[in-house]
Amino acid sequence: MSTLPSRQVVLARHIPGLPEPEHFRVERVEVGEPRDGELRVRTLFASVDPGTLARLGGVDSYAPALELGEVIGSATVGEVLASRDTRYAVGDVVVGGWGWREHAVVSARGLRKVDPGPESASAELGVLGIPGLTAYFGILELGRPQAGETVLVSSAAGAVGSISGQIAKRQGARVVGIAGGPEKCRWVVEALGFDACLDYRAEKDLAAAIRRECPQGVGVYLDNVGGSTLDAALTCMALKGRVVVSGLVADYGVPPEARAGLKNTPFLIIQRLRMEGFVVFDYAARFGEARAALRAWLQDGSLRHREHIVEGLESAPAVFAGLFRGENFGRAVVKVG
Amino acid sequence: MSTLPSRQVVLARHIPGLPEPEHFRVERVEVGEPRDGELRVRTLFASVDPGTLARLGGVDSYAPALELGEVIGSATVGEVLASRDTRYAVGDVVVGGWGWREHAVVSARGLRKVDPGPESASAELGVLGIPGLTAYFGILELGRPQAGETVLVSSAAGAVGSISGQIAKRQGARVVGIAGGPEKCRWVVEALGFDACLDYRAEKDLAAAIRRECPQGVGVYLDNVGGSTLDAALTCMALKGRVVVSGLVADYGVPPEARAGLKNTPFLIIQRLRMEGFVVFDYAARFGEARAALRAWLQDGSLRHREHIVEGLESAPAVFAGLFRGENFGRAVVKVG
């Protein structure tokens, strides 16, 4: 049986707080041949997702915790090198979730064949992948902004935030972003068409800044951050506002007792707010519909996105660590091929 | 013009933290005669509500803050002594919100005539008043428990909690209460028919106790408390659970920076929770329907309630202060007449 030398990134130590490269280890392995119903793939791109941290602390969350030595999970897109499934042929490009590996043997079940087309294969991990789908359902199903309402989006230059704001804008909302640094804020307004973007590093009083840019109050807050940003936004909500909790990066890897904690919960009553957490996989049955819409908007040029592409699988741990310092600008993806 | 000597309780000092009797002052005043469209009333009962504290700190919340010297607001029931409105006659019993006064001249608008009947007039301030209505809409409109789901209720022996749990029980839910002390817990189970009641004073680990009594997870948590109780409950919710935030007594009068803060917000995502604050007045158009249902359940004996009645308007401040130490057992009402 012919094997193929490959590398993969595994969890070397559980991560109690924020990740550092030394929590990971690059391993050399030999990848075998596919059996019936399997494919051998060469990874083209692997995503680098902040949400993965929730699985690396040794404690189960919305997904089971990784054991030491397990490959770090991520969305992936790759080229089929060998196929033992009639639906896939050598040379096909498939999207899956085989994690940070150069090559892999994977079950054909749960894969999706794509025609990369003009957006390139990496878009399948970002604007057409989980972040784009999260933005789509977060805004259109949970937030449901009405025309004229104000939508506030944190991590506005990030993978979910950048798409969320543009979808809210299509609904006729006034859209205000929060991002770190003038470069990201400029891009959010000038390239993405947000009405304003607050630089949380420059604003001494974030709540006051939100109120300044959202004089009618925030109708929908799409939260990708949690922590003190969420606490500030709670004080700025309009009556009957909706807080869509899509990600809580500020809380990932921070043990509960060390978190600042949400102190402005009385605003839930004062303003009759609804705060709702969601996991996009609950909408899996509608992913096709959502992808078709996102793809159409991409193709007509009305939806823009940006990728932070770094070369080489061995870079993934450092890129991952940088996510929590706001170092990425756009969807973080590792180019593996 | 004939006046009537009366007493009233006013705000003597803004309350930065928890209330003490010295924040209040009893004043003697002369009450004049009603003009067109007004009534002169003698108070029979005045409610003592924890939510009032939100208005006594000098900062507006869901209702404007009281100025120093203003009469403390409350629901009231009284007898008409003189009427300049054709809809009301001397001797009628009316429900209104003229606050902690022995006598008052009030506009006939917004009053409601009641036939006290067998439940006695004080029930109009409790099970048939705002607490009962809060329980009704909190469970049936926001929580919407399904048969077989588990409903958790804090302040289970309190005005809202005691009614909420009984309504949830009617819907076929398993109902678990949280209350302070064995006497209250016993009443909640034996008299009200809750399936279990946790004594938060006796349980070292409230979250573990909730999980023990709610092995399927909590489908609906009706929260009257906030603070660490809410934080513990968040970790025990079932998938797609609903947290109905009806009152946050633990946060009233505590400045944001001194609050412990909600640390378990990641469970919003992990369990796809919906957390919603509400103010019952938003359902005012449906109060008639709700009162009719509550009254029918009272009359057929299927709904039980308990009142903590204290004599004399001058007792109101001490009763109010005691609410925040869990000293009341049942709906706190001052008998004024």
Side-chain angles (χ1 to χ4, degrees), chain B residues 271-286:
Chain B
Q271 296 292 68
R272 294 81 153 150
L273 307 180
R274 171 184 288 185
M275 192 163 148
E276 198 161 358
F278 93 113
V279 172
V280 71
F281 299 105
D282 297 345
Y283 292 89
R286 293 177 53 198

mmCIF file of all heavy atoms in Angstrom, chain B residues 271-286:
data_model
loop_
_atom_site.group_PDB
_atom_site.id
_atom_site.type_symbol
_atom_site.label_atom_id
_atom_site.label_comp_id
_atom_site.label_asym_id
_atom_site.label_seq_id
_atom_site.Cartn_x
_atom_site.Cartn_y
_atom_site.Cartn_z
ATOM 1 N N GLN B 271 -25.597 26.418 24.354
ATOM 2 C CA GLN B 271 -26.934 25.818 24.415
ATOM 3 C C GLN B 271 -27.959 26.583 23.575
ATOM 4 O O GLN B 271 -29.154 26.297 23.681
ATOM 5 C CB GLN B 271 -27.408 25.726 25.870
ATOM 6 C CG GLN B 271 -26.567 24.810 26.745
ATOM 7 C CD GLN B 271 -26.695 23.349 26.355
ATOM 8 O OE1 GLN B 271 -26.257 22.909 25.297
ATOM 9 N NE2 GLN B 271 -27.338 22.578 27.212
ATOM 10 N N ARG B 272 -27.509 27.531 22.784
ATOM 11 C CA ARG B 272 -28.436 28.299 21.916
ATOM 12 C C ARG B 272 -29.577 28.881 22.753
ATOM 13 O O ARG B 272 -30.767 28.656 22.472
ATOM 14 C CB ARG B 272 -29.070 27.428 20.834
ATOM 15 C CG ARG B 272 -28.129 26.908 19.808
ATOM 16 C CD ARG B 272 -27.375 25.700 20.246
ATOM 17 N NE ARG B 272 -27.000 24.911 19.062
ATOM 18 C CZ ARG B 272 -25.925 24.158 18.989
ATOM 19 N NH1 ARG B 272 -25.073 24.093 20.005
ATOM 20 N NH2 ARG B 272 -25.690 23.485 17.894
ATOM 21 N N LEU B 273 -29.237 29.634 23.769
ATOM 22 C CA LEU B 273 -30.254 30.157 24.682
ATOM 23 C C LEU B 273 -30.810 31.478 24.191
ATOM 24 O O LEU B 273 -30.133 32.237 23.492
ATOM 25 C CB LEU B 273 -29.648 30.348 26.074
ATOM 26 C CG LEU B 273 -28.945 29.130 26.657
ATOM 27 C CD1 LEU B 273 -28.394 29.455 28.033
ATOM 28 C CD2 LEU B 273 -29.893 27.941 26.718
ATOM 29 N N ARG B 274 -32.013 31.729 24.613
ATOM 30 C CA ARG B 274 -32.639 33.031 24.407
ATOM 31 C C ARG B 274 -32.916 33.620 25.779
ATOM 32 O O ARG B 274 -33.538 32.986 26.623
ATOM 33 C CB ARG B 274 -33.944 32.866 23.646
ATOM 34 C CG ARG B 274 -34.767 34.136 23.589
ATOM 35 C CD ARG B 274 -36.094 33.886 22.913
ATOM 36 N NE ARG B 274 -35.916 33.698 21.487
ATOM 37 C CZ ARG B 274 -36.935 33.561 20.637
ATOM 38 N NH1 ARG B 274 -38.167 33.581 21.072
ATOM 39 N NH2 ARG B 274 -36.697 33.408 19.356
ATOM 40 N N MET B 275 -32.432 34.833 25.975
ATOM 41 C CA MET B 275 -32.591 35.500 27.267
ATOM 42 C C MET B 275 -33.334 36.797 26.977
ATOM 43 O O MET B 275 -32.898 37.580 26.138
ATOM 44 C CB MET B 275 -31.186 35.783 27.784
ATOM 45 C CG MET B 275 -31.095 36.212 29.186
ATOM 46 S SD MET B 275 -29.339 35.995 29.691
ATOM 47 C CE MET B 275 -29.279 37.339 30.841
ATOM 48 N N GLU B 276 -34.454 36.975 27.635
ATOM 49 C CA GLU B 276 -35.308 38.096 27.238
ATOM 50 C C GLU B 276 -35.826 38.822 28.468
ATOM 51 O O GLU B 276 -36.316 38.192 29.401
ATOM 52 C CB GLU B 276 -36.472 37.536 26.399
ATOM 53 C CG GLU B 276 -37.179 38.565 25.571
ATOM 54 C CD GLU B 276 -38.000 37.951 24.433
ATOM 55 O OE1 GLU B 276 -37.986 36.708 24.274
ATOM 56 O OE2 GLU B 276 -38.647 38.717 23.721
ATOM 57 N N GLY B 277 -35.667 40.131 28.450
ATOM 58 C CA GLY B 277 -36.188 40.932 29.538
ATOM 59 C C GLY B 277 -37.564 41.440 29.171
ATOM 60 O O GLY B 277 -37.858 41.682 28.008
ATOM 61 N N PHE B 278 -38.410 41.632 30.179
ATOM 62 C CA PHE B 278 -39.732 42.158 29.824
ATOM 63 C C PHE B 278 -40.326 42.977 30.951
ATOM 64 O O PHE B 278 -39.945 42.865 32.108
ATOM 65 C CB PHE B 278 -40.650 41.046 29.319
ATOM 66 C CG PHE B 278 -41.533 40.395 30.336
ATOM 67 C CD1 PHE B 278 -42.909 40.545 30.275
ATOM 68 C CD2 PHE B 278 -40.995 39.605 31.328
ATOM 69 C CE1 PHE B 278 -43.740 39.930 31.198
ATOM 70 C CE2 PHE B 278 -41.812 38.978 32.246
ATOM 71 C CZ PHE B 278 -43.189 39.143 32.187
ATOM 72 N N VAL B 279 -41.213 43.831 30.549
ATOM 73 C CA VAL B 279 -41.939 44.704 31.459
ATOM 74 C C VAL B 279 -43.411 44.438 31.157
ATOM 75 O O VAL B 279 -43.854 44.551 30.017
ATOM 76 C CB VAL B 279 -41.564 46.172 31.203
ATOM 77 C CG1 VAL B 279 -42.454 47.102 32.007
ATOM 78 C CG2 VAL B 279 -40.088 46.406 31.544
ATOM 79 N N VAL B 280 -44.135 44.064 32.169
ATOM 80 C CA VAL B 280 -45.482 43.544 31.940
ATOM 81 C C VAL B 280 -46.413 44.591 31.334
ATOM 82 O O VAL B 280 -47.376 44.250 30.651
ATOM 83 C CB VAL B 280 -46.049 42.943 33.248
ATOM 84 C CG1 VAL B 280 -46.378 44.038 34.247
ATOM 85 C CG2 VAL B 280 -47.243 42.053 32.970
ATOM 86 N N PHE B 281 -46.107 45.867 31.545
ATOM 87 C CA PHE B 281 -46.994 46.910 31.025
ATOM 88 C C PHE B 281 -47.081 46.883 29.502
ATOM 89 O O PHE B 281 -48.029 47.401 28.914
ATOM 90 C CB PHE B 281 -46.565 48.289 31.532
ATOM 91 C CG PHE B 281 -46.615 48.375 33.027
ATOM 92 C CD1 PHE B 281 -45.458 48.341 33.788
ATOM 93 C CD2 PHE B 281 -47.840 48.427 33.692
ATOM 94 C CE1 PHE B 281 -45.505 48.378 35.176
ATOM 95 C CE2 PHE B 281 -47.897 48.465 35.090
ATOM 96 C CZ PHE B 281 -46.722 48.443 35.824
ATOM 97 N N ASP B 282 -46.098 46.260 28.867
ATOM 98 C CA ASP B 282 -46.163 46.115 27.414
ATOM 99 C C ASP B 282 -47.336 45.239 26.980
ATOM 100 O O ASP B 282 -47.708 45.230 25.816
ATOM 101 C CB ASP B 282 -44.856 45.514 26.874
ATOM 102 C CG ASP B 282 -43.656 46.425 27.126
ATOM 103 O OD1 ASP B 282 -43.867 47.611 27.446
ATOM 104 O OD2 ASP B 282 -42.510 45.946 27.005
ATOM 105 N N TYR B 283 -47.888 44.480 27.932
ATOM 106 C CA TYR B 283 -49.022 43.604 27.614
ATOM 107 C C TYR B 283 -50.344 44.178 28.129
ATOM 108 O O TYR B 283 -51.326 43.444 28.282
ATOM 109 C CB TYR B 283 -48.789 42.210 28.216
ATOM 110 C CG TYR B 283 -47.652 41.479 27.556
ATOM 111 C CD1 TYR B 283 -46.346 41.621 28.015
ATOM 112 C CD2 TYR B 283 -47.875 40.685 26.440
ATOM 113 C CE1 TYR B 283 -45.294 40.975 27.391
ATOM 114 C CE2 TYR B 283 -46.830 40.040 25.804
ATOM 115 C CZ TYR B 283 -45.541 40.183 26.285
ATOM 116 O OH TYR B 283 -44.509 39.552 25.659
ATOM 117 N N ALA B 284 -50.360 45.477 28.395
ATOM 118 C CA ALA B 284 -51.538 46.091 29.043
ATOM 119 C C ALA B 284 -52.827 45.805 28.284
ATOM 120 O O ALA B 284 -53.887 45.625 28.893
ATOM 121 C CB ALA B 284 -51.318 47.593 29.198
ATOM 122 N N ALA B 285 -52.743 45.731 26.973
ATOM 123 C CA ALA B 285 -53.963 45.507 26.188
ATOM 124 C C ALA B 285 -54.579 44.145 26.485
ATOM 125 O O ALA B 285 -55.758 43.925 26.198
ATOM 126 C CB ALA B 285 -53.650 45.624 24.693
ATOM 127 N N ARG B 286 -53.811 43.252 27.054
ATOM 128 C CA ARG B 286 -54.326 41.897 27.314
ATOM 129 C C ARG B 286 -54.501 41.612 28.806
ATOM 130 O O ARG B 286 -54.707 40.459 29.201
ATOM 131 C CB ARG B 286 -53.387 40.862 26.679
ATOM 132 C CG ARG B 286 -53.395 40.937 25.156
ATOM 133 C CD ARG B 286 -52.413 39.950 24.552
ATOM 134 N NE ARG B 286 -52.642 38.600 25.055
ATOM 135 C CZ ARG B 286 -51.741 37.609 24.972
ATOM 136 N NH1 ARG B 286 -50.567 37.840 24.403
ATOM 137 N NH2 ARG B 286 -52.003 36.423 25.441
#
